[in-house]
Amino acid sequence: MLTSVIFDMDGTLFQTDTILELSLDDTFRHLRSLDKWSKATPIDQYRKIMGVPLPEVWETLLPDHSSIDRERTDAYFLERLVENIRSGKGALYPNVKEVFRYLKENNCSIFIASNGLTEYLKAIVHYYQLDYWVTETFSIQQIESLNKSDLVHSIIKKYGITDGAVVGDRLSDINAAKDNDLVAIGCNFDFAREDELSYADIVVDDLIELLSIIPELA
């Protein structure tokens, strides 16, 4: 059985869409109140790029805005996300805690590596008490390159991981596994894309499948 499993957060453990549209609407309503946006909230456009670091998100959604406007929008969006999480408006995917409990009982270390910002991740981990099982949560903010592969490498180096898997729904997660000689487990969930999942070693439709998959991996 593997000794370590590194999970993505958005679209893998946390059903981001439960607060995504709400928080994005809050943010673009705020921009409209400042006369810095006049159209509908670009939720569909955001869904297409879900999982990339937030600086890239605002470069895509607000291409004609200044860097200062993007930074302020980013900060406001984070505030709304955190508040909506703390208000209980989000949700984990089914069987997250069951899988975590199983892995912990079988001496498998659990980590989270996410493109999400630190405060956002802290809000999720605290609200759902995931730190009972998770050894440490890592944000892309901790890596200068903003590269998921580098983030996973930093976890491997810090904890001396010699075998493990990365579980995630996007190509950045799969690449992070491959680049670090770990097993790539793709999650065919809300934001997953078939062309990206084709690069994974294993694809699951429900996290509960990990209970039978992980013991067979070495």
Side-chain angles (χ1 to χ4, degrees):
M1 181 164 169
L2 297 178
T3 59
S4 304
V5 180
I6 302 170
F7 289 87
D8 175 44
M9 178 65 87
D10 291 316
T12 299
L13 299 176
F14 186 67
Q15 296 186 53
T16 316
D17 57 342
T18 57
I19 61 166
L20 173 64
E21 186 168 351
L22 179 62
S23 302
L24 208 62
D25 269 338
D26 289 344
T27 301
F28 278 85
R29 187 181 303 114
H30 177 66
L31 287 175
R32 284 191 285 270
S33 74
L34 299 175
D35 293 324
K36 292 184 178 294
W37 189 262
S38 59
K39 296 173 284 187
T41 302
I43 184 68
D44 290 337
Q45 189 177 6
Y46 187 30
R47 285 179 179 275
K48 293 178 182 177
I49 59 173
M50 182 67 192
V52 304
L54 279 173
E56 290 184 41
V57 168
W58 303 118
E59 288 174 9
T60 302
L61 299 186
L62 303 174
D64 300 323
H65 288 63
S66 68
S67 58
I68 293 177
D69 281 341
R70 290 175 190 159
E71 289 173 6
R72 289 174 177 170
T73 301
D74 187 35
Y76 188 85
F77 182 58
L78 177 60
E79 288 177 9
R80 298 314 307 153
L81 284 171
V82 169
E83 181 56 35
N84 287 324
I85 292 166
R86 290 174 176 167
S87 299
K89 296 176 181 177
L92 297 177
Y93 277 98
N95 303 311
V96 168
K97 292 187 176 182
E98 289 81 356
V99 170
F100 278 11
R101 186 178 301 111
Y102 171 82
L103 294 177
K104 196 71 172 180
E105 289 175 352
N106 286 274
N107 300 313
C108 181
S109 297
I110 302 168
F111 302 92
I112 294 173
S114 171
N115 283 334
L117 300 181
T118 302
E119 289 306 310
Y120 166 72
L121 297 173
K122 282 182 179 178
I124 297 173
V125 169
H126 177 74
Y127 184 84
Y128 295 101
Q129 300 179 320
L130 299 182
D131 48 3
Y132 181 79
W133 298 283
V134 176
T135 300
E136 188 171 353
T137 298
F138 292 80
S139 164
I140 201 69
Q141 279 185 300
Q142 298 169 238
I143 297 294
E144 186 175 351
S145 67
L146 299 180
N147 184 288
K148 193 69 166 284
S149 294
D150 293 341
L151 183 62
V152 168
H153 180 72
S154 72
I155 300 172
I156 292 172
K157 185 176 180 180
K158 179 174 181 177
Y159 286 93
I161 296 171
T162 56
D163 65 280
V166 176
V167 181
D169 65 318
R170 300 306 302 268
L171 186 59
S172 61
D173 303 304
I174 296 168
N175 286 339
K178 300 283 188 178
D179 292 343
N180 289 286
D181 297 320
L182 302 180
V183 179
I185 301 177
C187 295
N188 188 23
F189 299 167
D190 297 314
F191 301 105
R193 293 172 47 175
E194 186 176 351
D195 58 328
E196 296 183 354
L197 291 178
S198 66
Y199 293 99
D201 297 311
I202 302 165
V203 176
V204 299
D205 296 311
D206 189 306
L207 289 173
I208 202 68
E209 296 174 44
L210 296 179
L211 270 60
S212 59
I213 291 171
I214 296 297
E216 297 179 0
L217 298 175

